[in-house]
Amino acid sequence: MEESKKIGKGARYLIANDLIHSITGIFLSTFLVAYFLKITNENIIQIALYYIIVNITSGIGTLLIGHLIKNKPKIKIRIFLLSIVLRAIFILFIVILGEKLASNFIIVAMFYGLSELLFWSTHETIFIGVTTNSNRQDYVSIKHIISKISKIVVPIILGSSIELYSFSKIAIYVLILSIIQIFISLQINTNEDNSEEKIEKYDIKQYIKKLKNSKRTKLNQYYKSNLIYGIIEDPMSTIVTILTVMTFKTSLNLGILTTIFSACAMGTIYIYKKYYNKKNCGIILWICAAFIILGALGIIFNTNRLTLVIYNFACTVSLCVFDAIYNTQKGNLVQECNIEKRKIEHIMLNSFCTRMSRMTGFILILIAGIIGNMTAFKIVLLLITICVPIYINLIIKLERNEEK
């Protein structure tokens, strides 16, 4: 049966859900980091610890929750809805705690980690179910373009509103968006997911054991790339935010820069959608790598507003391409490597690898924070940048691997 290239109704509702999640995510990542810097007197150690706790909670939980999702597949939409409710409660915590957030960051981080665990563990199974190998790249591209359009408008609105009012007051409006997201999630038709999850019981240990003993280099290459991708992705974005806030000082300036570079990223995603394929993947990926490496070298050798802007641009336009490839490959490998019966194990192992590698990146930022000087921070930036060509090399090999 030929796969449809048309994006279905369930996928369209999932895109709408992801759009709101992206908008609230700007508030809970970029501007939350800025808020932490403000209320902790630029304490990078606390920011690093916050993200380490988030990733430990969601990473370890990922391996455990797979059993529930696979053995009781009908419950996954309820778990998905619960994750959005918990995210809304997390935002409510921000409203209630205000500047006390700094002294309660451990509990808050664990709560947010639980929300992320429940959301992404179920979201990824729904994502693979409502898309096909024929339309998955289009789905990811459309989702990113819509997300970037929102990031052109939302950061300036959030940045100026936070400056005029307060972080806690704006959190109330973000909370309303999360409530809307709950109603949209109820419209997602999970019947489009024609999985075979009931055939084999969840067994992540057996799946890992088979991977070690098998000759499926394509799957092994993908998981290895995840271990590098996690170090690059979130830690690099956080470094960009920290440097931007510490240099430009206000949330409004942070919002303006985020808006400008999101517009550039939207153009990058359009190019990715139109031109990216297995033949020319090397050219596009090495151009992205060159942007990041040159931007990082500028920061390392001469940290000023100009080099920071260049680095911010390089990271924003390149990371969106990496993210699109990461999500497209994750779904496509299920069919390409014939692991439909182990789809849940694949998703959970993928999430675990990515979360643990993110934690590694934030541990490096923590060490730099403990040392407490700019040289240490630049060394961390250099180490994360070195991971970029390694990741690119793994992805190119993966894209050109014709293994079935």
Side-chain angles (χ1 to χ4, degrees), residues 151-165:
K151 287 182 179 180
I152 292 172
V153 179
V154 173
I156 285 184
I157 294 173
L158 284 176
S160 57
S161 299
I162 290 169
E163 288 298 314
L164 291 171
Y165 302 103

Side-chain angles (χ1 to χ4, degrees), residues 231-268:
I231 296 174
I232 298 168
E233 180 214 20
D234 267 17
M236 187 172 283
S237 299
T238 304
I239 286 174
V240 168
T241 302
I242 290 171
L243 289 173
T244 303
V245 172
M246 292 175 72
T247 304
F248 291 94
K249 301 301 179 184
T250 69
S251 294
L252 178 58
N253 286 330
L254 177 63
I256 291 170
L257 287 174
T258 304
T259 290
I260 293 169
F261 298 132
S262 293
C264 297
M266 188 172 67
T268 305

Side-chain angles (χ1 to χ4, degrees), residues 190-315:
T190 54
N191 291 331
E192 292 180 52
D193 184 355
N194 297 315
S195 65
E196 300 177 48
E197 294 166 349
K198 292 183 180 179
I199 291 179
E200 293 184 15
K201 289 185 177 180
Y202 179 78
D203 194 340
I204 191 71
K205 289 182 180 179
Q206 184 64 24
Y207 179 67
I208 294 171
K209 186 177 179 181
K210 282 185 178 180
L211 280 175
K212 288 180 178 178
N213 297 331
S214 75
K215 295 181 180 179
R216 283 181 169 172
T217 55
K218 198 164 189 177
L219 278 173
N220 286 323
Q221 281 175 345
Y222 178 67
Y223 297 129
K224 285 177 183 177
S225 73
N226 289 349
L227 291 171
I228 304 297
Y229 174 71
I231 296 174
I232 298 168
E233 180 214 20
D234 267 17
M236 187 172 283
S237 299
T238 304
I239 286 174
V240 168
T241 302
I242 290 171
L243 289 173
T244 303
V245 172
M246 292 175 72
T247 304
F248 291 94
K249 301 301 179 184
T250 69
S251 294
L252 178 58
N253 286 330
L254 177 63
I256 291 170
L257 287 174
T258 304
T259 290
I260 293 169
F261 298 132
S262 293
C264 297
M266 188 172 67
T268 305
I269 284 295
Y270 174 78
I271 293 170
Y272 163 80
K273 182 178 182 297
K274 191 171 180 65
Y275 298 107
Y276 186 89
N277 55 53
K278 292 184 179 183
K279 290 182 180 179
N280 62 24
C281 63
I283 297 171
I284 293 173
L285 288 170
W286 282 115
I287 289 173
C288 290
F291 280 158
I292 292 175
I293 292 168
L294 291 173
L297 290 175
I299 292 287
I300 290 167
F301 290 110
N302 185 18
T303 306
N304 55 49
R305 291 194 172 201
L306 177 61
T307 55
L308 176 59
V309 167
I310 293 170
Y311 180 64
N312 202 324
F313 166 80
C315 290

